[in-house]
Amino acid sequence: MVLAAILGGAYWWFFMHGRVSTDDAYVKAHSAVISSRIWGTVVEVRVDNDDQVKTAEVLIRLDPRDYQTAVDEAGALLDQREADVKRSEIRLKLIDSQTKSQVKAAQAQVDKAEKQVNAKAYQVREIRKRESAARADLTYARREHERYKKLYQDRSVAKEAYDDVVKKLRVAEADVKSVLDRIESLNASLLALKQQVNQARAELDIARSRRKQVQMEMQNLASLKALRDEARASLDQARLNLSYCTIKAPLDGAIAQRSVQKGDRLQPGVPVMRVVPLARIYVEANFKETDLTHVRPGQPVTIEADIYPDHTYTGRVSGIRPGTGAAFSVLPPQNATGNWIKVVQRVPVTIELDRPLPEAYPLRVGLSLVVTIDTRKKSPGSS
């Protein structure tokens, strides 16, 4: 009995001390679920269960005819929208150029008419000055005529002197009449020029109002561009849907759970197969919470698979789940209800296998394992 106790203690010290073990461990992999993103009829299935595939390798082809038609329709609509935009741009440039020319020409007519009015008004002012001088001369000539008339009647001056005064009076009267006629003519011309100014200003207002067509055409162009962008987006979506008719592998791996056949009608989001990345498999071991006291990431692990009882794998702890399996279940336990029975919980521990794995002993997802962690290393850098 003493010898058995010594042997048992030696076995525990050398083989069990500082180690925790569990047989609640399995091979895991982040497999990709393959499903269709569009409605479609399967015309070709190029893989079967257990086939090895590479990233971007074609798995399934759907009938593309409906989606090709949608692409053609969207492309034709985009061409039409592009033509509408170009036509509107040409029209906008034409209207902008025409209205600018009209405004410029109308403004030039206004400026020209206003200059003519100013020049004619200056002439009127100048002739008014001549009118004052002519009237003054006429007044003087009339006084002289009255004075010389009396002198002539009294035989105080010669007839020639009197005739000369009468002649000067007639000249002064003619000058006044000429100035008045000139003033009347200038006033008539000035009135006509003012009417031309008003007409030129009216044409300028009309030309400026036509410039508003440019703004309207710009708004119309913006609306057409929005329709063009919408058509382009529809074409992009149609092309995207057409590309979804070819379902490709998202990663390297093996095909599993294939459930699709040629002629099937696929619905978006319904799984039809999985791609399992066997090169990225890992181990998930569910340890009792009482066994995790000294477990830390980086500690070495030995792994035994039930499928290969004569082979041992190695690895390291890569992570400890932040909660127990029960805590993340669909219906987590409510221990505050009163009906409470303490149960030892299990916490998933993720273990990365040392690479490369031996080709003679391949692992598959779901295989049962026995995992032993050497907890004598408290952290990756200690021993």
Side-chain angles (χ1 to χ4, degrees):
M1 291 177 62
V2 172
L3 181 59
I6 293 173
L7 292 175
Y11 177 80
W12 177 85
W13 179 262
F14 289 105
F15 298 101
M16 300 299 295
H17 175 65
R19 294 177 175 84
V20 291
S21 181
T22 182
D23 58 359
D24 188 359
Y26 307 92
V27 178
K28 295 280 187 177
H30 296 298
S31 60
V33 179
I34 304 302
S35 62
S36 176
R37 302 181 68 169
I38 56 173
W39 293 86
T41 301
V42 178
V43 295
E44 182 183 9
V45 182
R46 303 186 63 174
V47 293
D48 202 350
N49 284 330
D50 308 328
D51 287 350
Q52 297 291 327
V53 296
K54 297 292 184 180
T55 301
E57 183 177 340
V58 176
L59 306 178
I60 302 171
R61 293 189 185 275
L62 304 180
D63 189 351
R65 289 175 294 180
D66 293 342
Y67 296 100
Q68 183 62 57
T69 301
V71 169
D72 296 339
E73 291 177 352
L77 180 59
L78 179 59
D79 293 340
Q80 178 182 349
R81 298 303 187 198
E82 290 282 4
D84 292 341
V85 169
K86 291 181 180 179
R87 183 164 52 250
S88 180
E89 289 175 343
I90 295 173
R91 176 179 172 81
L92 175 60
K93 291 181 180 179
L94 180 61
I95 292 176
D96 184 56
S97 177
Q98 289 178 345
T99 54
K100 279 183 178 179
S101 299
Q102 291 172 355
V103 170
K104 186 177 180 180
Q107 185 65 55
Q109 288 294 329
V110 170
D111 295 340
K112 179 181 178 182
E114 288 179 344
K115 288 180 180 179
Q116 291 176 347
V117 167
N118 293 333
K120 196 64 68 174
Y122 176 77
Q123 292 178 3
V124 171
R125 290 193 298 271
E126 291 298 320
I127 202 67
R128 288 291 184 185
K129 295 178 182 179
R130 289 183 57 190
E131 178 190 6
S132 299
R135 287 186 182 277
D137 292 342
L138 177 60
T139 301
Y140 176 77
R142 284 174 177 174
R143 286 199 303 266
E144 288 294 304
H145 176 265
E146 291 297 327
R147 188 168 65 84
Y148 271 83
K149 183 178 180 182
K150 291 179 181 181
L151 293 174
Y152 177 71
Q153 290 175 352
D154 295 339
R155 306 296 181 180
S156 299
V157 294
K159 186 176 185 302
E160 290 80 3
Y162 175 71
D163 291 341
D164 186 57
V165 170
V166 172
K167 183 179 179 181
K168 289 181 179 181
L169 176 61
R170 297 290 182 267
V171 172
E173 289 176 346
D175 287 342
V176 170
K177 186 178 182 303
S178 175
V179 169
L180 292 177
D181 291 342
R182 179 62 175 166
I183 290 174
E184 184 178 358
S185 175
L186 290 175
N187 284 332
S189 299
L190 181 61
L191 180 60
L193 289 174
K194 287 182 177 180
Q195 292 177 350
Q196 290 181 8
V197 169
N198 293 333
Q199 183 179 358
R201 287 176 176 172
E203 292 178 354
L204 177 60
D205 292 338
I206 294 174
R208 286 174 175 171
S209 65
R210 289 174 180 169
R211 287 290 296 169
K212 295 181 180 178
Q213 294 181 3
V214 176
Q215 297 178 354
M216 296 175 60
E217 194 63 29
M218 289 177 65
Q219 293 177 355
N220 182 50
L221 178 59
S223 176
L224 292 176
K225 285 183 177 180
L227 293 175
R228 179 195 61 186
D229 294 340
E230 181 181 358
R232 183 179 290 116
S234 298
L235 177 60
D236 292 340
Q237 184 62 55
R239 287 173 175 170
L240 193 61
N241 290 338
L242 179 61
S243 69
Y244 292 155
C245 291
T246 302
I247 302 176
K248 300 180 180 180
L251 44 79
D252 296 348
I255 300 298
Q257 295 181 317
R258 172 192 155 177
S259 61
V260 61
Q261 298 293 336
K262 181 178 179 179
D264 287 350
R265 181 71 175 173
L266 299 188
Q267 300 180 18
V270 177
V272 294
M273 66 178 66
R274 287 177 178 268
V275 178
V276 182
L278 296 178
R280 305 179 188 176
I281 59 175
Y282 63 94
V283 174
E284 186 174 279
N286 301 297
F287 281 90
K288 295 180 180 179
E289 55 185 320
T290 54
D291 291 338
L292 296 179
T293 304
H294 302 293
V295 174
R296 300 290 185 273
Q299 291 173 340
V301 181
T302 57
I303 304 161
E304 298 175 359
D306 293 352
I307 191 174
Y308 306 121
D310 58 344
H311 181 76
T312 300
Y313 301 89
T314 60
R316 291 189 175 275
V317 176
S318 61
I320 302 174
R321 199 68 51 84
T324 65
F328 296 116
S329 63
V330 177
L331 297 174
Q334 298 294 329
N335 295 332
T337 58
N339 297 326
W340 174 69
I341 299 176
K342 183 175 182 179
V343 177
V344 176
Q345 300 295 320
R346 288 184 178 267
V347 178
V349 175
T350 303
I351 299 167
E352 287 292 335
L353 293 163
D354 292 338
R355 297 296 196 278
L357 296 178
E359 295 182 0
Y361 302 97
L363 293 176
R364 297 291 184 267
V365 176
L367 293 180
S368 299
L369 308 171
V370 177
V371 173
T372 302
I373 301 176
D374 186 354
T375 62
R376 287 174 294 181
K377 283 191 175 183
K378 303 301 181 183
S379 63
S382 61
S383 59

